[in-house]
Amino acid sequence: DSGVTQTPKHLITATGQRVTLRCSPRSGDLSVYWYQQSLDQGLQFLIQYYNGEERAKGNILERFSAQQFPDLHSELNLSSLELGDSALYFCASSPAGATNEQFFGPGTRLTVL
Amino acid sequence: GQSLEQPSEVTAVEGAIVQINCTYQTSGFYGLSWYQQHDGGAPTFLSYNALDGLEETGRFSSFLSRSDSYGYLLLQELQMKDSASYFCAVRGGGYQKVTFGTGTKLQVIP
């Protein structure tokens, strides 16, 4: 158990809908990262937050947005969902100023029908 | 931008040694990490190299050559449970930016 929690574990929804994925980092970690992993694909970096502020952005679609709240939990919002958005979404956290080691949550499996 | 190359698949025999290579391109290199991911599971951190040389952690070792933009993960005394995907990840192009490779699927056979 990495100490990072993600909810929900599974999510099934329809095209055009909007969903919110939630992540709670390890106690004391200030950085949160979001990744998308499609079937048999690598980890695609989406976005990083550090202590509430956006720090780095990857290949995140405009239909996707995220935020980190004062209690450091983070939410990833996916809207106007398409079939191709079906994937595993991982959240990871790391201690302040150290991104050498990231601790990954168990992931949310999103299925868009 | 950042890019990484690693073999897509490797097969090795139980008890043997296997090396998984990773070459990268990045600006402002800070370090290279390795992660293991079993099917259906979350990636877990294995090792990190910021300086040239070999880092050893039990049966796993990781090597870095910054001048060659190259690193490898060495797994010794392979066990069936080592069958998994292994990702290298480069920290660069920004102090806190990490880019993952596409992963190497290791199959350990009896």
Side-chain angles (χ1 to χ4, degrees), chain A residues 31 33 35 37 41-43 45 48 50 55-57 90 97 99-102 104-106, chain B residues 33 35 37 40-45 47-48 87 91 95-98 100-103 105:
Chain A
S31 280
Y33 309 78
Y35 293 89
Q37 187 174 41
Q41 295 293 310
L43 289 156
F45 169 68
Q48 179 207 354
Y50 175 78
R55 259 317 156 90
K57 220 168 185 177
F90 286 105
T99 56
N100 310 334
E101 178 176 1
Q102 295 183 22
F104 281 78
Chain B
S33 301
Y35 288 80
Q37 184 181 29
T44 56
F45 174 81
S47 68
Y48 175 78
F87 294 89
R91 184 171 154 216
Y95 182 65
Q96 292 185 322
K97 185 166 183 179
V98 176
F100 280 77
T102 52
K105 191 159 190 173

Side-chain angles (χ1 to χ4, degrees), chain A residues 8-22:
Chain A
K9 192 170 181 178
H10 300 279
L11 197 51
I12 301 174
T13 188
T15 55
Q17 294 299 304
R18 173 189 168 95
V19 297
T20 297
L21 313 183
R22 184 188 167 102

